[in-house]
Amino acid sequence: MSTIARTLSLCVVWVSVVSGLSLRVQAADQQTQGTLREAGKSFFEIGVGINDRIADRAADHRLLLSQFSMVTPENCMKPAQVQPAEGKWNLAHADGFVDFATKNGLKVVGHCLVWAKDGRTPAWFHRDGEKPASRELLLDRMRRHIQTKVTRYRGRIAMWDVVNEALDDGGEYLRDSGWSRACGEEFIVKAFEYAHAADPNVLLIYNDYNNELPGKREKQIRLVRSLTEKKTPIHAVGLQGHYEIDRVPFKDIEDTIVSMRQLGVKVVISELDIDVIPRGKWWAEGGKYREELSRLDPYREGCPPEVLKRQADQYAQLFQIFRRHSDTIARVSFWNLHDGQSWLNDFPWKRVNHPLLFDRQGNPKPAFAAVMSALNQLPQP
Ligand code: GLA
């Protein structure tokens, strides 16, 4: 090669290295400068579950309003908070929440009308003096509860979680509860009918955890099929999405989204987080590991960069799946605004956790850039 040719080819290499670098810098800028709600716009709503008293929490407003388009109140619309005793309505916090959201251009997810767990339903629902409430009485109480909440916020709530967590984790179809004992599947059918009658324009969701995993997924399919055969107005299934690092069931999630589309319902990812401290053993072998786990707090002083990187990669993989199926997915909501507010700092034992896209100061973590790249179809950082 002549000297001139060698110099020229060196120049070409140099120029392409430099322009490659500047492209990468540009991509990184776009990832950190954009916002989730903008990047998600053409795919689905990006939501978040937040503290009921959001209006008083000025420190949260900038992050919330810049990044998210939908909000779910963590607790104030749950049956136990709204109607702790029969006819004793407690809607002040829910009213404040909906007012704040409406004024600030955020859409609201109502959560939830029925929580099909005895521990989460005020006991009075299921009692009639000394005896268990009859099916008729229970359904009548449920109708009044649903009608009151849905009517009050008609036009201001975009989606309702109608029934939460009714599928059994073991061998049964439905979880054993006052609801399933009195009515079988019928309470689910009725809950959707009552909600639809109170607001025919709201998107109605059945919400659960682990319902993408084999076993529970078959029950989820059975439920949706049975409801649609009965012409029940169910519009979407919520996958809560409380995942653990290195155990995110990517294929099961994708298969479930496809199954739901085939059944004619939408999917929402309703409570997404990726726990960096695996917790599965908590429930294993009759609680044998609980003592040991309750002392486990490995990331008290901060989460190591390699763990944050793995978490970021796994979030990216999830959002690639969500983007591929954006025709079926109506919303992806995180559960809590930033790491410092995550329920996983306390559940199932106390530890310093790092499951979300923003750190305790509200600054974006590597997972944020990874999700932004997945949404923007850019190479992963
Ligand atoms: C479930 C419920 C939520 C919330 C989380 C934990 O997933 O649906 O309302 O209670 O648990 O905070």
Side-chain angles (χ1 to χ4, degrees), residues 215-284:
K216 207 158 169 183
R217 186 199 320 161
E218 280 64 53
K219 298 173 198 175
Q220 183 65 77
I221 291 172
R222 172 174 163 187
L223 177 64
V224 173
R225 192 168 283 143
S226 165
L227 262 53
T228 46
E229 272 166 18
K230 296 187 174 99
K231 308 255 178 295
T232 308
I234 177 176
H235 307 131
V237 162
L239 312 183
Q240 290 186 0
H242 293 298
Y243 301 123
E244 291 174 55
I245 196 161
D246 304 330
R247 293 175 196 184
V248 183
F250 297 109
K251 181 164 184 320
D252 293 329
I253 295 168
E254 186 154 22
D255 289 351
T256 307
I257 297 170
V258 171
S259 304
M260 292 305 132
R261 186 185 50 227
Q262 286 163 352
L263 291 169
V265 293
K266 297 271 181 203
V267 169
V268 298
I269 312 298
S270 54
E271 307 180 14
L272 181 60
D273 41 33
I274 301 184
D275 194 333
V276 289
I277 306 162
R279 58 176 187 262
K281 263 168 80 182
W282 186 264
W283 292 277

Side-chain angles (χ1 to χ4, degrees), residues 73-75 78 111-112 115 120 161 164-165 207 209 240 242 271 335-336 343 347:
E74 247 186 304
N75 291 305
K78 290 174 175 171
H111 173 78
C112 51
W115 196 339
R120 302 300 196 155
D161 287 336
N164 201 27
E165 303 180 346
N207 194 45
Y209 60 86
Q240 290 186 0
H242 293 298
E271 307 180 14
W335 202 245
N336 304 120
W343 69 301
F347 177 89

Side-chain angles (χ1 to χ4, degrees), residues 70-125:
M70 270 189 115
V71 281
T72 309
E74 247 186 304
N75 291 305
C76 66
M77 286 185 191
K78 290 174 175 171
Q81 273 77 2
V82 167
Q83 202 184 6
E86 186 154 29
K88 183 175 179 297
W89 295 95
N90 186 1
L91 286 153
H93 290 316
D95 287 353
F97 188 93
V98 174
D99 284 348
F100 171 86
T102 314
K103 275 193 205 116
N104 286 286
L106 295 165
K107 296 179 190 154
V108 181
V109 183
H111 173 78
C112 51
L113 296 173
V114 174
W115 196 339
K117 264 185 176 165
D118 283 349
R120 302 300 196 155
T121 305
W124 66 263
F125 263 101

